[in-house]
Every structure is written in C-alpha cells, then in structure tokens.
C-alpha cells in the first residue's frame, strides 16, 4: 500500500508530492514490491505536475531510510511534531 498526496506550497514553483505511508507485508519484503510502489508513486505524482517527491519516515526506521536512499532519495530536513491536547 502506498499513500500519496500533492500539495501547493509558497516556497516551491510546482506542487510537491508526498508519500506519507508505504507498507509492504513483512513476508513479501525484499522482492522489489516497495521499489515498484515507489516508481508508480513517482509516475503518478509527476503526472500531477509535482517536481519534487518527499517521503516521511519515522526516525527509528533505519532499514526504511536505507531503502529510500537506495532509490535515490536524500535526507534533506528534520520534521518536528507536537501533540496538542
């Protein structure tokens, strides 16, 4: 499963695509399914005019980070969160 969105921002000249969730069942990992999902995400978001694709991933998910880096993604920023009551 792969969750996609596109958003307009004031600091980019074109919409920014985002993969906010990407899940491959653990028993199917390592078979190229994640790479196929990401390739399809890139294709679809590009078709919607996105020039950049962002991926969010929990800081503790080091294997996921290695996967995204292998696909050509680079770590570019930190994201901060605060829970509001």
């Amino acid at each position: 499963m792969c969750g996609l969105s596109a958003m307009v921002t004031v600091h980019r000249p074109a919409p920014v695509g985002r993969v906010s969730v990407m899940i491959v069942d653990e028993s199917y990992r390592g078979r190229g399914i994640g790479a196929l999902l990401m390739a399809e995400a890139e294709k679809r978001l590009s078709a919607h005019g996105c020039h950049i694709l962002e991926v969010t991933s929990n800081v503790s998910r080091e294997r996921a980070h290695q996967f995204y880096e292998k696909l050509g993604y680079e770590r570019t920023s930190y994201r901060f969160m605060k829970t509001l009551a």
Side-chain angles (χ1 to χ4, degrees):
M1 178 182 103
C2 192
L4 310 177
S5 61
M7 62 188 151
V8 175
T9 65
V10 297
H11 62 286
R12 300 282 185 204
V16 175
R18 176 172 282 173
V19 172
S20 56
V21 61
M22 208 267 290
I23 302 169
V24 175
D25 186 277
E26 194 169 346
S27 62
Y28 289 92
R29 292 180 189 162
R31 299 182 187 187
I33 296 169
L36 288 171
L37 285 170
M38 290 302 294
E40 185 64 23
E42 291 173 9
K43 178 181 163 186
R44 289 179 183 222
L45 289 167
S46 180
H48 277 83
C50 297
H51 293 183
I52 294 173
L53 192 148
E54 297 177 338
V55 178
T56 57
S57 179
N58 188 295
V59 69
S60 67
R61 309 232 25 237
E62 292 188 22
R63 283 184 61 207
H65 303 164
Q66 292 170 358
F67 167 77
Y68 294 123
E69 289 171 346
K70 182 179 175 184
L71 294 179
Y73 290 82
E74 59 184 280
R75 192 172 307 189
T76 60
S77 63
Y78 290 101
R79 185 171 138 187
F80 297 90
M81 184 180 95
K82 179 178 181 180
T83 301
L84 303 176

